[in-house]
Amino acid sequence: MRERVRVRVLDRPPYVRRSDPQTELALLGRGVATRVVYHSRVLRDPERLAEIRTFTAAGEQARVHTEVPLKLALLDDRWALLPVSAGTELESVLLIRPSTLLDALAGLFELYWAHGMRLPEPSEEPAEDRHRQLLTLLAAGLTDESIARQLGVSTRTVQRWVRELMDRFGARTRFQAGIQATRAELL
């Protein structure tokens, strides 16, 4: 049996059950190249985000996207797993072997990967880390109110932080601040 060398995943809620982090950490430890596009809702779940950070520290490449259409696991270019139902109960999955459908699913993954936003690395400096976290949440499309709930601060504090970012980059709009943050490799 050939050993797996590449895993690509589209990850979105609702979840059937919590995955076993040790399984993914073992794959990463064996050098399996793992790329995951997470639905941006994971940014609202501090526990899940901490778990993802553990994976990225172990070598996973992660991106977030506001519109992940389905759950999908691609293993090498040999097969894919695609749940049949979208609910919280896993009744059945499709095992897809090499075919035009597998090629199409691989292409779908690559499209979402290309348009996904990198998950910023945590910074040693608290203010820098806060700015990266704020930029990530803004880029994921969260409102100021949602960001405030996520970070445990008031909406006015979020608005003040956004203003600080805009001032830092000499931007007149949030969009300009996002462009400048990307150029500064904060996103």
Side-chain angles (χ1 to χ4, degrees), residues 89-164:
E89 292 199 22
L90 185 61
E91 295 177 5
S92 58
V93 296
L94 292 174
L95 173 63
I96 300 156
R97 297 190 184 278
S99 61
T100 55
L101 179 56
L102 181 62
D103 294 343
L105 290 171
L108 181 71
F109 173 86
E110 294 302 332
L111 178 69
Y112 278 89
W113 179 260
H115 290 104
M117 183 187 64
R118 282 185 305 152
L119 194 64
E121 298 293 323
S123 173
E124 296 293 321
E125 187 180 321
E128 188 74 19
D129 194 39
R130 182 185 72 221
H131 285 154
R132 286 178 187 226
Q133 200 174 18
L134 177 62
L135 285 164
T136 300
L137 296 170
L138 286 168
L142 274 67
T143 64
D144 289 352
E145 293 78 17
S146 295
I147 293 170
R149 279 193 303 278
Q150 169 76 25
L151 300 178
V153 297
S154 72
T155 304
R156 286 193 48 79
T157 298
V158 170
Q159 292 166 346
R160 182 171 47 84
W161 289 347
V162 169
R163 172 53 46 203
E164 287 172 8

Side-chain angles (χ1 to χ4, degrees), residues 37-52:
V37 178
Y38 293 97
H39 192 284
S40 60
R41 283 186 235 161
V42 301
L43 300 174
R44 299 178 192 164
D45 182 350
E47 287 179 31
R48 182 74 171 132
L49 191 53
E51 185 177 76
I52 293 167

Side-chain angles (χ1 to χ4, degrees), residues 51-117:
E51 185 177 76
I52 293 167
R53 293 228 185 263
T54 300
F55 297 151
T56 57
E60 174 186 285
Q61 295 179 12
R63 295 200 179 169
V64 292
H65 197 287
T66 56
E67 300 294 327
V68 177
L70 48 86
K71 298 177 190 188
L72 174 68
L74 295 153
L75 287 96
D76 296 326
D77 290 320
R78 295 183 303 159
W79 52 280
L81 287 175
L82 181 65
V84 175
S85 61
T88 57
E89 292 199 22
L90 185 61
E91 295 177 5
S92 58
V93 296
L94 292 174
L95 173 63
I96 300 156
R97 297 190 184 278
S99 61
T100 55
L101 179 56
L102 181 62
D103 294 343
L105 290 171
L108 181 71
F109 173 86
E110 294 302 332
L111 178 69
Y112 278 89
W113 179 260
H115 290 104
M117 183 187 64

Side-chain angles (χ1 to χ4, degrees), residues 2-21:
R2 224 171 73 191
E3 190 162 332
R4 284 185 220 134
V5 294
R6 180 169 70 159
V7 175
R8 295 173 288 172
V9 175
L10 292 177
D11 181 82
R12 65 165 287 131
Y15 298 104
V16 176
R17 65 178 173 82
R18 195 70 166 195
S19 62
D20 177 15

